[in-house]
Amino acid sequence: NYIYLMFLLRFLKSNQLKKIVFLSIFLVFFNNYSVINAQENKMVLDDLSTPGITTQKQNWAFFTDGVMGGLSQGRAIISNVANENCYHMTGNVTTENNGGFIQIRNQLKPSISTKEFSGIYFKVYGNNENYSIHIRTALTMAPWQYYKYSFTTEKKWNEIRAPFNEFKKSNAYQPSALVGQNIKSIGLVAGFKDFDADICLSEIGFY
C-alpha cells in the first residue's frame, strides 16, 4: 500500500508539472501573438519622416471657409514645436458670413477600411481650445457631410485616440455609423466658433 501510494503521488506530481509547463508555454505564445497582432494593426499615416508627404505619398492641403464665402484666415506650415516636428496650423476663425473653419486635409489613396482598425490616433500640441478630426467616406458626397470627433488640446504634446464608433455624423442624410465604411479623407479642423486657432500635429495614423 505504501509503495502504491508513493507511486500515485509521483504520478500526480508529474501530471501537475506537465500541466504547469503546458500552461506556461501557452501563455508565452498567447502574449507574443497578442503583441505581434497589435503591431500589425497599427498604421502610421504620417509622422513627418518625409515632411509634407504621407506614407501613402499624398500631400496635405490647407484651406479655409473662403471656398464657401467665409472670412476665416490662417495658414499651415511645417515647424518644430517643443522639440517635435509638426504641421503647425494657426489662424483666426470667424463665423461671419456663414463661415467658421480652417483645416488641413489629406486624401487617402487607397482608401482605408474601418473594418481593419479600431480608430485613429494622433499627437497634438495646442492652446487649450477644442478642435476636431473630420472623416469623409464614399457615402458623404455633399461638402457638409462628414464624421466628426472632437477633442481638447493642452499646451503640451498628447496622444489622442479616436475610436471609429465615437465619431458623430454631421448630417441626417448619411449613415449613422462610420464603422463598416471606407475612409477617403482625414481633416484636422479648427472651427464652428469665433477664436484664434493654434494647433500642431506631429503624427497621425490608425490603430
Side-chain angles (χ1 to χ4, degrees):
N1 289 341
Y2 174 75
I3 294 174
Y4 174 76
L5 180 61
M6 292 299 294
F7 176 79
L8 181 61
L9 287 173
R10 286 180 182 177
F11 177 77
L12 290 174
K13 287 180 179 179
S14 176
N15 273 353
Q16 287 175 344
L17 181 60
K18 288 179 181 178
K19 289 180 180 178
I20 291 171
V21 170
F22 176 78
L23 181 60
S24 298
I25 293 173
F26 173 78
L27 289 174
V28 169
F29 173 80
F30 179 77
N31 287 336
N32 287 340
Y33 176 80
S34 297
V35 170
I36 291 170
N37 205 36
Q39 290 174 342
E40 289 176 347
N41 285 339
K42 181 178 179 180
M43 172 189 165
V44 177
L45 180 63
D46 197 340
D47 59 3
L48 279 92
S49 297
T50 54
I53 303 174
T54 69
T55 55
Q56 292 187 321
K57 309 299 182 185
Q58 301 298 314
N59 296 317
W60 290 88
F62 171 81
F63 59 95
T64 74
D65 54 21
V67 296
M68 9 180 338
L71 302 176
S72 299
Q73 296 183 347
R75 67 173 187 164
I77 62 171
I78 296 171
S79 183
N80 186 286
V81 174
N83 299 317
E84 291 278 353
N85 292 329
C86 62
Y87 301 111
H88 191 179
M89 182 171 70
T90 57
N92 176 254
V93 180
T94 174
T95 55
E96 287 185 57
N97 209 37
N98 297 317
F101 72 86
I102 62 175
Q103 72 169 295
I104 56 172
R105 188 166 71 186
N106 180 261
Q107 302 289 334
L108 300 183
K109 295 181 180 179
S111 61
I112 300 295
S113 172
T114 54
K115 294 179 181 179
E116 296 178 7
F117 301 95
S118 298
I120 296 173
Y121 79 92
F122 49 97
K123 298 177 182 178
V124 290
Y125 185 109
N127 59 345
N128 300 318
E129 289 283 0
N130 294 328
Y131 297 87
S132 57
I133 294 290
H134 286 195
I135 283 177
R136 301 199 71 203
T137 72
L139 300 179
T140 56
M141 292 172 282
W144 52 84
Q145 291 180 325
Y146 51 84
Y147 293 89
K148 174 182 177 181
Y149 180 88
S150 299
F151 60 93
T152 302
T153 59
E154 298 180 275
K155 291 184 178 179
K156 65 177 183 178
W157 285 106
N158 284 315
E159 179 173 315
I160 297 173
R161 294 201 161 203
F164 289 140
N165 60 11
E166 293 186 16
F167 278 78
K168 306 299 182 184
K169 68 177 184 176
S170 66
N171 186 266
Y173 299 101
Q174 66 189 84
S176 297
L178 169 62
V179 177
Q181 299 188 55
N182 287 348
I183 302 171
K184 67 177 186 180
S185 73
I186 296 178
L188 174 62
V189 181
F192 313 110
K193 66 177 184 178
D194 299 319
F195 77 110
D196 289 324
D198 191 340
I199 184 170
C200 305
L201 173 71
S202 68
E203 185 173 336
I204 188 168
F206 300 91
Y207 71 91

